[in-house]
Amino acid sequence: MLDLLAGGRSNIPNFNCGKQNKLLAVLEGADSVIAKEISTMSDIYKIPQISYGFTAQGLDDNIQFPFVYRTVPKEETQYPGIVKLLLHFRWTWIGLTAPDNDNGERFVNALTPLLINNGICIALSKRLPEKNLYQRLNSIKPNVIWRQVNVFIYYEHIQGGWGPIIMLQTALEENIGAKVWISTVFQDINLNLWFDPNLFQYIHGSLAFVMKSQIRTKHDYYSPFSPDLDQFWKKAFHCLYSKHLLSMRGWTRCTEKENLEKLPQEELERALSQDSYSTYFSVQAVAQALSTAYSTRTKQMWMVGRQGGLERQRLQPWQLHPFLREIQFLNASLGGLHLDENGDLPGNYDIENWVMFSNESRVRVKVGSIERGKSADIKLTINPEAIVWPKQFSKTVPQSRCTESCRPGYKKVAKEGEPVCCYACAPCAEGTISTQEDAEHCNKCPEHQYPNKDLDQCVPKIVTFLSFKESLGTILVSFALFLSLTTSFVLGIFIKYIDTPVVKANNQNLSYILLISLLLSFLSSFLFTNRPRKTTCLLRQTAFSIIFSVSISSVLAKTITVVLAFLATKPGDRVRRWLGKSLANSIVISSSSIQVVICTIWLVISPPFPDSDMHSQPGEIILQCNEGAGLLGCIFLPKCYIIVLRPDLNTKECLITKTKDGI
């Protein structure tokens, strides 16, 4: 950095020695520690710092780092995608591995509450030391939880790639078995394909988040790099200092004219299409800012030079800041990637599966993606069939849970003193169901449905009503027909022998009224069968009650007539004046009229209507007429009268007195 700031042959900033190369911007892919050190020096000169290191977190504070521009998504944008992936495969009993440094601490502190809020438990959390890792791992004695947890989230740091995980598995595999590792974004992802097959087998079947790239080759599979490419990088781009830092330059600048044709085109394309994407994005951002800055500057900007003549004014580093802040999207070759209102990239990632084939070739296969739209919601796309799992799981999706799932028809019940992921299962209560596994609670069925035997589905209730086709309906209709025929037979006899003394002596008019009303009463029972409708609900109770009241009134008139006949035995008795048809008719009409008035009032105030009884019988909907019909008034109205209007009678002594009087 000192060398860049010096701009000349010496490494001494603020001194002009010879020809000066003005530094306009710094592009770096370092970790957070080095990136902050670079910022400390570049901020002095207000030089833009474009940072594309995935582990260079903590540089998002615009107040502390006003001249730093991040061209990779913020690290925490991966975390909701990780949670989505875990929930998709129902992995709720997981482990965390992170480096034992500030980055690892920030990762664990940020991800832990997000996992807990989504019902995912951290069974164990392991911090990996940065030094002497293998020796430290050998001293670990794994407990039973290491065996229970099959899925671990791994936070990659300082370009370590899968190396720490391979060392962990090598040291502990006999005790912990195979695992599915889910890694955050790597810095140099393709370097991990160089691992020896004997080491790569430990990460076979694992998953990794990769920054979504718009620069894609036609290949979906990526084979490991050849040694030629490695040697090419070392020879062409690896430049070392040979003298003291503050002395004259002791290294030879790369010519930038290296012959790329020496490498196979396919291999070079694969290399440049992956790890260099963040670099490519950063270069494009600076290029666009420079282009905009030069195009908006006045074409003739001159200043007085040292020799007294006019010289063209050079662009200064601080003049790039407005243009870098105003960048909203890059050119079309990047697919129009938009930055948000804070100038950050959206957290869009590919999910890749790390696989080693039987011929020991190692590949990365895209199996899903995480995309964030304009809203806060993220979309997970995953193809489980395309994922190759570790061999120990026999090509099935690994399970990583504390307890077995609760089947439909059951609900989760928390265990006292246990994590929320370690729960018991209890069957749903009567009348409720659960249709999915691990249901938090059971739900009631709609009124027109009821739970099946397994309590995992609502089935339609059977609609039932008193019908001719049912046994009870058949019996009632048979009785009604039999009694109607009997009554008709009796009525026919009375009509045929109307002039006989027995018929005349039996008060034939009342007899006819009684027989006809009985016949109609029996026939009105047909209104109580078949599906209730509005008309039948209005008629059946009123018709039956009025007709039956005529029958009772006729019996009452006959009884009164007989009593008066026995009382009027003496000639000239005044009771004899009441005997005759007029008395009988008046009794029938007056008594029936009372019932007609009652029914009329009832139909006006609270008419009956078709209704459904959903609760009396489980599994059935009973169609009936809702008749409001009379118990409320007959039973409770007198009691309400005493409670409200006669509180003096609402005493224990009064009730005891009335009871004794009744006895």
Side-chain angles (χ1 to χ4, degrees):
M1 189 62 197
L2 288 173
D3 179 64
L4 290 174
L5 291 174
R9 295 181 179 179
S10 64
N11 303 87
I12 305 175
N14 296 331
F15 283 86
N16 295 331
C17 301
K19 185 178 179 181
Q20 297 295 309
N21 296 320
K22 195 67 175 180
L23 181 65
L24 292 179
V26 175
L27 282 74
E28 51 84 9
D31 59 50
S32 58
V33 177
I34 298 177
K36 290 177 181 178
E37 295 292 344
I38 293 174
S39 176
T40 302
M41 290 185 280
S42 63
D43 283 2
I44 299 174
Y45 304 93
K46 298 183 179 180
I47 297 174
Q49 177 182 347
I50 291 82
S51 177
Y52 53 89
F54 286 101
T55 58
Q57 300 301 316
L59 297 176
D60 302 312
D61 188 345
N62 293 330
I63 297 177
Q64 187 177 0
F65 306 101
F67 307 126
V68 176
Y69 302 90
R70 299 277 289 150
T71 57
V72 292
K74 291 183 178 180
E75 186 178 75
E76 55 268 23
T77 59
Q78 304 174 70
Y79 303 161
I82 292 174
V83 172
K84 284 270 190 180
L85 181 64
L86 294 174
L87 293 176
H88 177 82
F89 290 108
R90 303 172 64 195
W91 293 328
T92 57
W93 190 242
I94 65 155
L96 294 183
T97 55
D100 193 8
N101 56 23
D102 293 341
N103 286 342
E105 184 72 22
R106 183 176 60 251
F107 165 75
V108 173
N109 292 339
L111 185 59
T112 297
L114 191 60
L115 294 172
I116 294 175
N117 291 338
N118 286 273
I120 301 172
C121 298
I122 301 174
L124 56 88
S125 180
K126 185 63 181 175
R127 306 298 293 274
L128 303 178
E130 297 183 271
K131 296 182 179 179
N132 301 322
L133 176 59
Y134 191 75
Q135 291 78 3
R136 299 279 293 274
L137 290 174
N138 280 325
S139 63
I140 297 177
K141 295 182 179 179
N143 54 24
V144 67
I145 297 181
W146 283 85
R147 281 280 181 184
Q148 293 178 348
V149 178
N150 288 325
V151 176
F152 280 77
I153 300 174
Y154 167 55
Y155 177 70
E156 191 272 346
H157 67 295
I158 316 181
Q159 303 182 16
W162 288 115
I165 298 306
I166 291 176
M167 284 190 284
L168 185 148
Q169 287 270 198
T170 303
L172 305 178
E173 186 187 23
E174 292 183 1
N175 297 318
I176 67 175
K179 305 297 177 188
V180 174
W181 297 92
I182 301 174
S183 172
T184 57
V185 172
F186 288 157
Q187 181 73 6
D188 293 315
I189 192 168
N190 274 338
L191 295 177
N192 292 271
L193 294 173
W194 289 354
F195 283 117
D196 184 88
N198 293 328
L199 299 177
F200 194 91
Q201 63 175 334
Y202 294 111
I203 58 172
H204 169 77
S206 294
L207 303 171
F209 280 70
V210 180
M211 183 177 174
K212 200 173 185 65
S213 172
Q214 303 298 321
I215 311 174
R216 279 292 185 184
T217 66
K218 60 184 178 181
H219 305 284
D220 293 329
Y221 293 82
Y222 301 92
S223 61
F225 296 126
S226 67
D228 293 337
L229 183 60
D230 186 24
Q231 295 297 325
F232 173 82
W233 279 348
K234 290 181 179 179
K235 181 179 179 180
F237 302 113
H238 193 59
C239 303
L240 299 175
Y241 286 103
S242 62
K243 296 183 180 180
H244 192 272
L245 179 63
L246 296 180
S247 66
M248 296 295 291
R249 294 178 190 238
W251 52 274
T252 303
R253 180 182 294 275
C254 296
T255 64
E256 300 182 4
K257 297 180 180 179
E258 286 73 21
N259 186 5
L260 299 180
E261 295 179 356
K262 294 180 180 179
L263 294 175
Q265 180 62 29
E266 181 180 284
E267 193 166 343
L268 182 64
E269 185 183 55
R270 291 171 180 171
L272 298 180
S273 66
Q274 292 300 306
D275 295 336
S276 60
Y277 173 62
S278 56
T279 307
Y280 184 77
F281 193 6
S282 301
V283 172
Q284 285 292 322
V286 177
Q288 181 169 326
L290 286 170
S291 175
T292 307
Y294 278 112
S295 64
T296 56
R297 286 166 53 88
T298 306
K299 292 184 178 180
Q300 301 296 329
M301 294 188 67
W302 303 92
M303 61 180 296
V304 179
R306 294 180 180 178
Q307 306 299 328
L310 294 178
E311 294 181 358
R312 187 73 175 266
Q313 185 177 0
R314 301 181 65 179
L315 183 68
Q316 300 299 317
W318 57 266
Q319 292 176 315
L320 280 179
H321 292 297
F323 304 103
L324 286 170
R325 295 191 185 103
E326 291 177 2
I327 292 177
Q328 296 299 316
F329 58 89
L330 301 181
N331 58 28
S333 65
L334 288 177
L337 290 180
H338 291 260
L339 307 179
D340 62 17
E341 62 275 7
N342 298 320
D344 298 320
L345 277 174
N348 296 333
Y349 301 92
D350 288 336
I351 302 174
E352 295 189 339
N353 188 205
W354 292 70
V355 182
M356 182 172 70
F357 294 117
S358 57
N359 62 358
E360 296 186 350
S361 63
R362 284 89 72 194
V363 299
R364 294 160 42 209
V365 184
K366 178 182 175 181
V367 294
S369 63
I370 291 290
E371 295 184 357
R372 186 184 300 273
K374 295 182 179 179
S375 62
D377 296 335
I378 62 174
K379 179 183 178 181
L380 169 67
T381 304
I382 194 75
N383 181 12
E385 291 76 16
I387 301 177
V388 178
W389 302 109
K391 297 178 181 178
Q392 290 82 347
F393 295 109
S394 302
K395 299 182 180 180
T396 59
V397 179
Q399 299 296 313
S400 192
R401 304 174 61 87
C402 180
T403 57
E404 292 293 331
S405 301
C406 294
R407 303 195 311 271
Y410 290 78
K411 66 177 181 178
K412 297 194 296 187
V413 179
K415 290 183 178 180
E416 187 175 356
E418 296 285 341
V420 294
C421 300
C422 303
Y423 47 81
C425 300
C428 291
E430 184 178 358
T432 61
I433 65 162
S434 63
T435 59
Q436 59 185 7
E437 292 186 349
D438 291 331
E440 296 290 341
H441 52 81
C442 300
N443 300 314
K444 288 186 176 181
C445 289
E447 285 194 338
H448 63 282
Q449 295 180 340
Y450 72 103
N452 62 354
K453 182 180 179 181
D454 296 328
L455 302 179
D456 59 359
Q457 188 179 5
C458 290
V459 296
K461 291 182 178 179
I462 300 174
V463 178
T464 182
F465 49 86
L466 188 60
S467 174
F468 302 106
K469 300 178 181 179
E470 296 181 355
S471 56
L472 179 60
T474 303
I475 294 173
L476 293 177
V477 169
S478 300
F479 270 110
L481 288 174
F482 173 75
L483 295 174
S484 299
L485 291 174
T486 303
T487 305
S488 300
F489 179 73
V490 174
L491 179 60
I493 292 175
F494 268 62
I495 293 174
K496 183 176 181 180
Y497 299 98
I498 189 172
D499 296 327
T500 60
V502 174
V503 175
K504 291 181 177 179
N506 202 37
N507 198 336
Q508 59 182 8
N509 291 335
L510 283 178
S511 297
Y512 293 148
I513 294 174
L514 178 59
L515 289 171
I516 293 173
S517 61
L518 284 175
L519 176 61
L520 294 177
S521 296
F522 294 139
L523 294 176
S524 66
S525 62
F526 287 97
L527 296 174
F528 291 84
T529 56
N530 217 337
R531 191 183 189 94
R533 303 187 185 280
K534 185 176 181 179
T535 304
T536 56
C537 287
L538 289 173
L539 289 177
R540 66 183 192 178
Q541 287 289 2
T542 53
F544 175 78
S545 60
I546 293 174
I547 294 170
F548 193 70
S549 66
V550 173
S551 302
I552 299 299
S553 300
S554 301
V555 175
L556 179 62
K558 277 179 168 290
T559 304
I560 293 175
T561 301
V562 172
V563 171
L564 291 178
F566 279 102
L567 292 176
T569 54
K570 297 180 180 180
D573 197 331
R574 288 183 296 179
V575 178
R576 295 174 64 90
R577 292 181 299 175
W578 294 97
L579 296 174
K581 296 181 180 180
S582 57
L583 176 62
N585 293 336
S586 61
I587 293 174
V588 173
I589 294 174
S590 59
S591 300
S592 301
S593 298
I594 296 174
Q595 183 64 33
V596 172
V597 172
I598 294 174
C599 291
T600 303
I601 296 174
W602 174 50
L603 292 177
V604 173
I605 297 176
S606 180
F609 56 90
D611 196 11
S612 301
D613 182 3
M614 304 280 190
H615 310 290
S616 295
Q617 296 293 330
E620 293 185 358
I621 299 177
I622 302 176
L623 300 183
Q624 60 184 11
C625 291
N626 190 325
E627 295 163 343
L631 290 177
L632 179 65
C634 296
I635 296 177
F636 294 99
L637 189 60
K639 294 176 175 57
C640 293
Y641 169 76
I642 295 175
I643 294 172
V644 178
L645 301 178
R646 294 294 304 274
D648 56 305
L649 300 178
N650 192 12
T651 61
K652 186 175 181 180
E653 293 77 11
C654 183
L655 292 176
I656 293 174
T657 303
K658 286 187 174 294
T659 303
K660 290 181 178 179
D661 293 343
I663 295 174

